[in-house]
Amino acid sequence: MQPMYFRMVRCLLGSRRRAAFVVAFWVLIAGLLAGAAPALESVEDNASANLPPAASDSMKARDLVRSELPGQDATPAVIVVRGEGAGAAASAGNAVARITSALSGTARPAQVTSVISTVTTPDAAAELVSRDRGSQLVIVPITGSPSDESFQHAVDQVRSLASDRAGPTEVAVTGPAGIATDTVKVFSGGDKVMLLATVLLVLVILLAIYRSPLMALVPLLAVGVAMRVSETTGALLADAGIITVSSQTASIMTVLLFGVGTDYALIITARYREALFDDPNRPRAMQTAVQRTAESVLASASTIVLAMFALLVAVSPALRGFGPYLALGVAVMALVAFTFVPALILLLGGSVFWPGGVDKAAERGRGAGVWHRIAALVARAPVRVASAVVALLVVMGAGLLGYHESFNTLSGFRAATESERGQRLIQEEFGPGEIAPSTVVVRSRDDLRSTPAAAAIGAALGEADGVSRVGERPRFGEGGRTVFYEVVLDLDPYSSTALDAIAPLKEATRAVADAAGVEDPTVLIAGETAQNADIRSALDRDTAIIVLLVLAVVTAVLVLLLRSLLAPLYLVATLVLSFLATLGATTFFALTVLGDEGIGNRVTAYIFVFLVALGIDYNIFIMSRFKQELRTLPPAKAISAALTRTGGVVSSAGLILAATFAVLMTQPIRELFQFGFAMAFGILLDTFLVRPLLVPALVHLFGDHALWPARPTHPRTPPTPAAGDQPAALQEGPGTSTCGTPRIGSPQRGGGHGSSWLR
């Protein structure tokens, strides 16, 4: 008895009327969800994705600052004003006075709570005026969530007022409020371009592959349905607080669904064309195609979904919140591929192959001559082929010698922003550390206001390594048990050196507090440098765990799929080699050729998870076909046949998947650009080097042991079926179909396979 799934598929795909029901079902589901769900953009959470774990010291320090210091719940915009020429100091002072007046009057945005400048706070001049007195800072706290449109509008108003009152001075608005607003603008400007570029690129490639307009539209329509269902379901889950979705996750979801969706459609339609060569009855040919691709596509989708769920072990919000939404999308895409795609093709009938016709489409499903030649090359010299590919991968991996990461969000924008210009002005005029001061928090059991300990700690901090200056007056929290020091480093606050300085600064402060008589002090550090240090620690921990977990997931899926212990080991080894080569090439291209400041701090983890989860697909497809060919062929001929039969379709699928990820390179964000380049490069490596050359070469070298402990039996020559016979997989009983209706026979053009291949 066939599994229930296959019986259901044969029932649903038994006629064009049933196929129409399947198509209508998905369209109805997509429409109902669209009407019930909020817009995805309205529930996106872009703030938490850039924060360290909630339990980290820097987040505890941030919470103390917000709870014990008044006005710290607002997000500050920093206005930097630079005068020009001999009268720079006077022109900067006059501009600051005009800007302060505008932001303090009735025309100011309602969300501006106060203005801190040399006009309103003369005592803070040492911190607000540059050493040459030619530049000044104005701090403008703004209430509300940076993700809200009202907040972004308030920042735009602040920028407009500052620009109008700047006079002859140079003015830029930066700081956390400016950076958050520019980040939203940069992302929103690229989404529509990315979607349009993805659709056009995939359509052109599909037209070249299928040579049929309708067949090329089928995968795109399937992706559209899956994307709509995934986005609306994700929006409902995010609105309920079950998952989180960020702008980056949404962008990657778009290209991921286009990539895997067209891949699955290509695999199924290729088997459909091949089945039509044996049986011209379209419903039966489609049922055969779905059955013969089910195992490999299910294994592929399961690997990606499990790899995405593996991210739930992460403590970093950027990684932990990444997986569930993407896992949802891939699961929906697999369901659509197995139901909507076959049903739509059957519904379109013979016109789906226009203008070439069914016969030409079926003939193209038999394999191309170039793959015969590649298979013959690998069979003749497997040692030389494997050695050459491994050597090339090792050379590419040498690029890792220059690997280092970046934690500067603004340096990752590939578009000019006012906040980046403002930070550059602050660095030039006030020193590198002024763009992101840190706050050292010392907490005691006793009131520190009446003791000399607070002053002693402040003096010691001013002399600590890496510290440029300390705020003139420490601030005390409620009850005096917590004291806050503003500390400016003499380093770029986003550099690795600055991140490395946080832990020693914390230890030095604790030692000074102990020496000053503070009983059992708690020392924490808030600010972007401390947060990035905690993000780095969390990512290092998460990446190590995720690498092991994803490799275990992939290995387990391969063991279950191939019923082998040896094959998963050498297949996973090829994935690791491919990943190292990809990361090395990406590092060289991004840092040496493009001059990027570093690899985005989350990019490496993203590349590993996606490249392993998606790269194993092509190994799954060829090895699944290898298993099937072993039923009638010895191992050497079976792997050659598998390569020949899967070569065209898998290479086409890889080309489309690489192209869709390459579209991410149109985004003006460093992380997405680097991730898109790495995925496109790595997928092409897997598609055109690892899968067609290295894997078959290894199978040739292992021979009969390629699937150890399973061993192939002596293959049997398949019998030639009589006219009117049906594939064995479709026979359920004498004279009836699975749904209980009479089965209509039709002559076949060729034979099937035997059933015994392993003992």
Side-chain angles (χ1 to χ4, degrees):
M1 178 180 293
Q2 293 295 314
M4 182 181 298
Y5 167 74
F6 293 132
R7 296 201 301 273
M8 180 184 69
V9 167
R10 285 197 296 275
C11 184
L12 292 176
L13 302 179
S15 67
R16 292 181 70 178
R17 178 178 296 179
R18 295 172 189 161
F21 169 79
V22 174
V23 172
F25 169 80
W26 278 109
V27 173
L28 179 62
I29 289 294
L32 290 175
L33 287 173
L40 185 64
E41 295 80 4
S42 67
V43 295
E44 287 178 351
D45 179 8
N46 295 309
S48 62
N50 296 311
L51 294 175
S56 61
D57 284 354
S58 60
M59 294 299 286
K60 294 177 181 176
R62 187 199 68 170
D63 293 342
L64 279 174
V65 170
R66 290 182 173 180
S67 64
E68 298 206 19
L69 294 180
Q72 296 300 311
D73 55 342
T75 304
V78 179
I79 305 174
V80 54
V81 181
R82 180 166 71 176
E84 301 291 342
S91 63
N94 292 334
V96 166
R98 292 192 296 270
I99 292 171
T100 301
S101 175
L103 292 174
S104 302
T106 57
R108 74 179 189 279
Q111 290 170 269
V112 171
T113 60
S114 62
V115 181
I116 302 172
S117 68
T118 52
V119 176
T120 61
T121 317
D123 292 345
E127 300 172 7
L128 299 176
V129 181
S130 64
R131 294 183 181 89
D132 65 0
R133 309 195 67 79
S135 299
Q136 293 191 28
L137 301 178
V138 179
I139 313 299
V140 184
I142 301 176
T143 58
S145 171
S147 61
D148 293 342
E149 289 187 12
S150 59
F151 181 93
Q152 296 154 25
H153 181 63
V155 173
D156 289 338
Q157 285 183 285
V158 169
R159 283 175 166 164
S160 178
L161 288 171
S163 177
D164 291 344
R165 271 82 174 167
T169 63
E170 182 178 3
V171 171
V173 177
T174 183
I179 294 172
T181 299
D182 285 343
T183 300
V184 172
K185 290 181 179 179
V186 168
F187 267 109
S188 62
D191 284 345
K192 294 180 180 178
V193 174
M194 184 189 70
L195 180 59
L196 180 61
T198 304
V199 172
L200 292 177
L201 184 60
V202 172
L203 180 59
V204 169
I205 297 175
L206 288 174
L207 285 172
I209 293 170
Y210 286 127
R211 305 170 199 174
S212 167
L214 286 179
M215 185 65 91
L217 287 175
V218 167
L220 293 179
L221 292 173
V223 171
V225 170
M227 185 178 297
R228 196 60 179 158
V229 172
S230 301
E231 286 183 351
T232 51
T233 304
L236 288 170
L237 294 174
D239 193 42
I242 299 174
I243 66 172
T244 58
V245 180
S246 67
S247 296
Q248 281 198 13
T249 309
S251 296
I252 293 174
M253 171 72 100
T254 299
V255 298
L256 179 64
L257 289 189
F258 271 98
V260 299
T262 50
D263 274 13
Y264 295 159
L266 278 170
I267 298 299
I268 293 171
T269 55
R271 268 304 178 94
Y272 175 52
R273 292 185 302 176
E274 189 176 330
L276 283 174
F277 192 86
D278 295 329
D279 185 353
N281 181 280
R282 293 189 193 110
R284 286 206 304 269
M286 182 58 77
Q287 293 161 19
T288 300
V290 171
Q291 178 181 346
R292 290 181 178 175
T293 56
E295 187 179 49
S296 57
V297 174
L298 178 61
S300 165
S302 299
T303 302
I304 300 172
V305 169
L306 290 173
M308 294 300 105
F309 277 123
L311 294 174
L312 290 176
V313 304
V315 296
S316 309
L319 293 181
R320 184 177 179 83
F322 201 71
Y325 181 54
L326 297 178
L328 168 68
V330 173
V332 171
M333 189 69 252
L335 287 174
V336 170
F338 266 129
T339 54
F340 181 85
V341 169
L344 185 57
I345 291 174
L346 290 179
L347 187 60
L348 293 173
S351 62
V352 77
F353 296 112
W354 180 85
V358 178
D359 291 339
K360 287 186 178 180
E363 185 61 35
R364 286 200 301 270
R366 307 302 290 176
V370 64
W371 295 105
H372 286 286
R373 293 192 291 273
I374 292 174
L377 169 66
V378 177
R380 284 196 308 270
V383 174
R384 281 184 291 176
V385 169
S387 300
V389 174
V390 170
L392 182 60
L393 294 176
V394 170
V395 170
M396 292 177 181
L400 287 171
L401 295 175
Y403 179 87
H404 60 271
E405 296 177 347
S406 172
F407 289 83
N408 190 343
T409 301
L410 284 182
S411 72
F413 291 162
R414 294 184 177 275
T417 62
E418 184 173 340
S419 52
E420 191 277 333
R421 181 166 61 89
Q423 284 212 355
R424 180 166 38 82
L425 288 175
I426 293 174
Q427 284 183 308
E428 293 172 358
E429 300 297 325
F430 292 85
E434 295 288 349
I435 60 175
S438 298
T439 301
V440 176
V441 182
V442 179
R443 192 171 179 84
S444 173
R445 296 179 180 178
D446 305 318
D447 189 338
L448 297 175
R449 289 173 295 188
S450 58
T451 68
I457 294 172
L461 282 174
E463 298 176 359
D465 293 338
V467 173
S468 172
R469 69 171 180 85
V470 178
E472 290 187 359
R473 297 183 184 86
R475 291 173 292 174
F476 291 91
E478 185 177 351
R481 295 188 300 113
T482 307
V483 59
F484 302 86
Y485 303 89
E486 182 182 83
V487 175
V488 176
L489 302 177
D490 59 7
L491 305 164
D492 178 349
Y494 300 101
S495 66
S496 296
T497 306
L499 270 57
D500 293 338
I502 291 298
L505 180 61
K506 192 183 301 182
E507 292 301 321
T509 305
R510 186 177 291 108
V512 171
D514 285 333
V518 179
E519 185 177 352
D520 193 21
T522 298
V523 177
L524 302 170
I525 300 180
E528 293 190 42
T529 305
Q531 288 185 5
N532 283 330
D534 285 340
I535 289 173
R536 184 177 65 175
S537 297
L539 285 174
D540 289 345
R541 175 261 182 200
D542 290 343
T543 301
I545 294 176
I546 288 170
V547 165
L548 296 176
L549 188 55
V550 170
L551 289 179
V553 166
V554 170
T555 303
V557 170
L558 289 173
V559 168
L560 293 174
L561 175 67
L562 302 177
R563 305 295 191 270
S564 168
L565 297 178
L566 176 61
L569 297 181
Y570 62 75
L571 293 176
V572 168
T574 64
L575 287 176
V576 173
L577 265 179
S578 179
F579 162 72
L580 294 175
T582 298
L583 188 58
T586 302
T587 300
F588 176 80
F589 178 71
L591 276 58
T592 305
V593 178
L594 298 182
D596 284 355
E597 183 179 286
I599 298 296
N601 54 80
R602 293 166 287 184
V603 170
T604 299
Y606 291 168
I607 294 172
F608 179 83
V609 172
F610 279 89
L611 194 58
V612 170
L614 295 172
I616 196 62
D617 284 4
Y618 305 128
N619 288 335
I620 286 174
F621 295 145
I622 189 173
M623 294 301 286
S624 295
R625 190 59 183 257
F626 173 55
K627 269 179 53 179
Q628 294 178 15
E629 298 295 340
L630 276 173
R631 297 167 180 166
T632 57
L633 296 171
K637 291 185 177 180
I639 190 62
S640 295
L643 177 56
T644 301
R645 289 294 181 87
T646 64
V649 63
V650 174
S651 296
S652 300
L655 183 62
I656 289 178
L657 188 61
T660 55
F661 274 102
V663 172
L664 286 174
M665 296 170 66
T666 65
Q667 295 294 282
I669 307 293
R670 175 187 57 207
E671 278 73 11
L672 288 179
F673 181 94
Q674 293 175 351
F675 177 62
F677 173 84
M679 289 303 301
F681 186 89
I683 289 167
L684 291 177
L685 274 186
D686 283 332
T687 303
F688 294 104
L689 280 181
V690 175
R691 187 264 316 170
L693 296 176
L694 183 55
V695 169
L698 292 174
V699 172
H700 276 289
L701 291 175
F702 285 112
D704 286 351
H705 302 283
L707 293 178
W708 184 89
R711 295 282 297 277
T713 62
H714 296 291
R716 301 183 303 178
T717 302
T720 302
D725 282 355
Q726 298 171 26
L730 299 181
Q731 295 176 356
E732 289 292 328
T736 60
S737 72
T738 310
C739 295
T741 57
R743 187 182 298 279
I744 300 175
S746 63
Q748 292 181 315
R749 302 181 186 176
H753 292 294
S755 58
S756 175
W757 68 281
L758 295 177
R759 67 167 179 258

